[in-house]
Amino acid sequence: MSGPLSVVVPCAGRGSRLGLPFPKELLPTPDGRVLLDQVVDLIAGLDVRVLLVTAADREPTIAHLHRRYPQVPVAAVRQGADTSGLSAAVRVALPFLGARTVVLLPDQRLQEMPDRSPVADADRLLRATSACFLASWCDDPQRIAADGALTIDRDPSQGGMGRVQRMADKPGLEAAGGHNAVWFAFGFRREVAGPVLDQLDLAERHLLADADFARGPLHAAPVIVVPPFVDCGTWPAVRDMWRRHGKDVPCD
């Protein structure tokens, strides 16, 4: 389990809900930067190799990282136009990944940065366990209904870290009450990459039954609790992010 941590950043999505004339990971944030910059904040000082999963229009994204963060080792692999979804994006990266991988979504933005790096904590966990999640507690049914939802058993003996018992992607309001968290990122070891992505794919297609989840590597995965975060994939969420800082969205 030695060697650098692989960090996959899926950047091939069209961002159709925002309708931006540029990649959504380059959306300005209230601190004068862009969404993608927080990914770099989260891996600062760590031994990592970053792999962007891109589309044909992502040259500005690659250029931004090379220009602003020349010290960060970054490579890019293109996702085919005939595939979509998170699990498909990560599969494109599989041939280039090391022993341990964390997947960070560039449009998920923590409302505040924690004192300890949750990515560093995930890297340590993955040296001893096959998979993990970074997640935030959530009791808002509307948020859970439209996000990556988890049911976590709280474990006070582990400093608030629990284990995942159920998982659903955008479960809808009727099923939202069965979950208590939303996930921010996830990690896995190379030997379970295929089964992990199979479970994610089934969840994305709303085909992941509880019994099937219980048989896979994401079941009982430990959870690193992170601060609340904003999913910046819609304009209401983007406006809320800016209003928290007392500002209006400059590109609205």
Side-chain angles (χ1 to χ4, degrees):
M1 284 294 114
S2 61
L5 175 71
S6 299
V7 176
V8 175
V9 187
C11 293
R14 296 178 59 188
S16 56
R17 291 179 295 175
L18 293 177
L20 295 170
F22 52 83
K24 67 177 178 178
E25 59 272 11
L26 299 183
L27 184 75
T29 52
D31 57 2
R33 304 194 301 164
V34 300
L35 286 175
L36 185 60
D37 291 327
Q38 192 180 87
V39 169
V40 182
D41 293 345
L42 288 165
I43 62 175
L46 305 181
D47 184 14
V48 299
R49 300 294 182 269
V50 178
L51 185 67
L52 296 180
V53 180
T54 66
D57 61 348
R58 261 23 185 218
E59 286 82 1
T61 299
I62 298 170
H64 174 82
L65 284 177
H66 285 320
R67 180 178 63 252
R68 187 155 186 168
Y69 304 102
Q71 77 282 6
V72 177
V74 177
V77 60
R78 182 172 295 181
Q79 182 176 357
D82 58 338
T83 65
S84 62
L86 176 60
S87 57
V90 181
R91 285 188 199 279
V92 173
L94 286 182
F96 309 97
L97 301 182
R100 306 172 317 284
T101 296
V102 168
V103 179
L104 294 175
L105 307 183
D107 56 358
Q108 308 278 62
R109 188 173 191 270
L110 293 173
Q111 292 181 13
E112 60 182 49
M113 290 294 288
D115 294 333
R116 288 163 49 98
S117 168
V119 177
D121 288 342
D123 190 19
R124 284 189 287 270
L125 267 180
L126 291 172
R127 296 172 187 270
T129 192
S130 60
C132 66
F133 279 97
L134 285 66
S136 179
W137 300 114
C138 185
D139 58 6
D140 179 358
Q142 295 282 350
R143 171 73 187 274
I144 291 173
D147 214 326
L150 301 176
T151 301
I152 302 171
D153 283 350
R154 298 174 186 257
D155 187 352
S157 68
Q158 298 296 318
M161 184 177 71
R163 292 183 178 271
V164 177
Q165 302 304 313
R166 295 177 62 223
M167 173 187 176
D169 186 56
K170 301 178 179 64
L173 276 174
E174 290 186 1
H179 304 284
N180 60 4
V182 288
W183 66 264
F184 172 77
F186 65 95
F188 55 86
R189 282 160 58 150
R190 180 167 51 202
E191 61 266 28
V192 299
V196 162
L197 296 178
D198 287 345
Q199 287 191 297
L200 285 171
D201 176 60
L202 288 172
E204 287 180 279
R205 293 187 288 134
H206 302 283
L207 297 174
L208 183 60
D210 287 348
D212 293 329
F213 181 65
R215 289 191 288 267
L218 292 177
H219 180 259
V223 177
I224 298 162
V225 178
V226 301
F229 62 94
V230 180
D231 179 351
C232 296
T234 66
W235 278 116
V238 172
R239 293 187 188 101
D240 182 64
M241 174 181 68
W242 278 81
R243 287 168 183 163
R244 288 175 184 273
H245 291 78
K247 301 177 181 180
D248 293 325
V249 184
C251 56
D252 194 355

